[in-house]
Amino acid sequence: MKTYNVNQITKNSLSITGKGNAKAWVKAEVLTDFVSPWDDKKIDKIEFRALYTTEHLFFNFKVFDAEIYVDSTDDTHNSINNSDRVELFFRADKSLNPYYCLEIDPTPRIMDFIAKPNKNFDFNWNWPAEAINVKSFKHDNSFTVEGSISLASLKQFNLLKDGTIETGIYRAKYHKQTHGSYEPTWITWVNPQTEEPNFHTPSSFGVLKFV
């Protein structure tokens, strides 16, 4: 499995602003290894960073995109699902029974849910509000999504084990079509080797390793 090393920082050395420009982020490895196996369109650069303290996992997506699409119809899951967004999936093991999904658009609206195999989604489930903090910022030619998740919640859901978390890291990019609608390009850290776009499969996950 592909592995990303999550470096440790001291407690209180990083605060979430949405801009992703805190000095502590220079200590993070920069992951840019993203692909779209099912689409020939050029992928704009994506930078993912993660750090941890004794209490939190911090994550930072910087997506280089001058034409962000957000469906502002309302704040329902449908609108978020039709918008540009970044995604993190966490699983206890390859059975995906269950796994936990965070999908975040540039505003930042959160679509979080628990899932089981065969895309069995429970949208009534939410990550505990006190355990997650997410903010975002739109730049001229990019947007940033920055957040923190408590290690206590990751342990509660049996996701953080022996200093590792099995994780999927993704991006959905919506392109305007000639007839006016928007269609997504699906982008992933790990190529799941599927014929059709599918993040909800064991082969799309890698490992975040705390070092």
Side-chain angles (χ1 to χ4, degrees):
M1 295 175 69
K2 293 175 77 170
T3 300
Y4 172 88
N5 290 328
V6 184
N7 295 324
Q8 186 172 15
I9 55 174
T10 57
K11 184 179 176 182
N12 300 323
S13 62
L14 178 57
S15 59
I16 298 300
T17 65
K19 295 184 179 181
N21 58 0
K23 290 182 179 179
W25 283 118
V26 301
K27 299 181 180 179
E29 294 188 7
V30 184
L31 176 66
T32 58
D33 185 17
F34 291 91
V35 296
S36 180
W38 315 280
D39 202 309
D40 293 331
K41 290 185 179 69
K42 180 182 179 294
I43 301 172
D44 290 327
K45 186 178 180 182
I46 303 166
E47 295 179 350
F48 174 82
R49 295 170 172 83
L51 295 166
Y52 78 101
T53 65
T54 54
E55 295 185 357
H56 290 93
L57 169 67
F58 295 88
F59 62 88
N60 175 353
F61 287 88
K62 185 171 184 180
V63 180
F64 293 82
D65 185 353
E67 297 181 357
I68 299 167
Y69 176 67
V70 174
D71 181 342
S72 56
T73 304
D74 50 38
D75 289 331
T76 63
H77 287 159
N78 277 341
S79 287
I80 301 171
N81 195 50
N82 290 328
S83 300
D84 281 10
R85 61 191 185 277
V86 295
E87 305 179 5
L88 290 171
F89 292 0
F90 304 110
R91 71 182 193 190
D93 55 55
K94 64 182 179 181
S95 73
L96 300 184
N97 193 23
Y99 59 108
Y100 300 83
C101 306
L102 287 171
E103 305 193 10
I104 310 163
D105 79 4
T107 60
R109 297 175 299 183
I110 299 176
M111 180 167 64
D112 51 349
F113 54 98
I114 190 172
K116 293 182 178 180
N118 301 314
K119 298 185 179 181
N120 181 1
F121 305 150
D122 180 1
F123 290 104
N124 291 318
W125 183 91
N126 298 107
W127 208 277
E130 69 279 4
I132 187 169
N133 178 28
V134 174
K135 295 183 180 180
S136 65
F137 189 82
K138 293 182 183 179
H139 311 268
D140 289 341
N141 296 303
S142 65
F143 70 90
T144 303
V145 172
E146 187 181 37
S148 66
I149 302 172
S150 74
L151 300 192
S153 66
L154 292 166
K155 292 174 182 176
Q156 175 187 347
F157 302 133
N158 196 33
L159 300 171
L160 176 57
K161 296 181 290 186
D162 298 322
T164 64
I165 310 172
E166 296 185 14
T167 306
I169 309 173
Y170 316 105
R171 151 105 161 113
K173 167 59 188 171
Y174 277 75
H175 298 276
K176 191 172 184 177
Q177 307 301 301
T178 54
H179 48 76
S181 67
Y182 286 80
E183 297 295 334
T185 294
W186 301 105
I187 301 165
T188 176
W189 171 36
V190 177
N191 183 349
Q193 305 292 333
T194 57
E195 289 188 13
E196 300 295 328
N198 188 5
F199 298 161
H200 301 271
T201 184
S203 56
S204 76
F205 285 71
V207 174
L208 302 186
K209 182 180 179 181
F210 288 16
V211 296

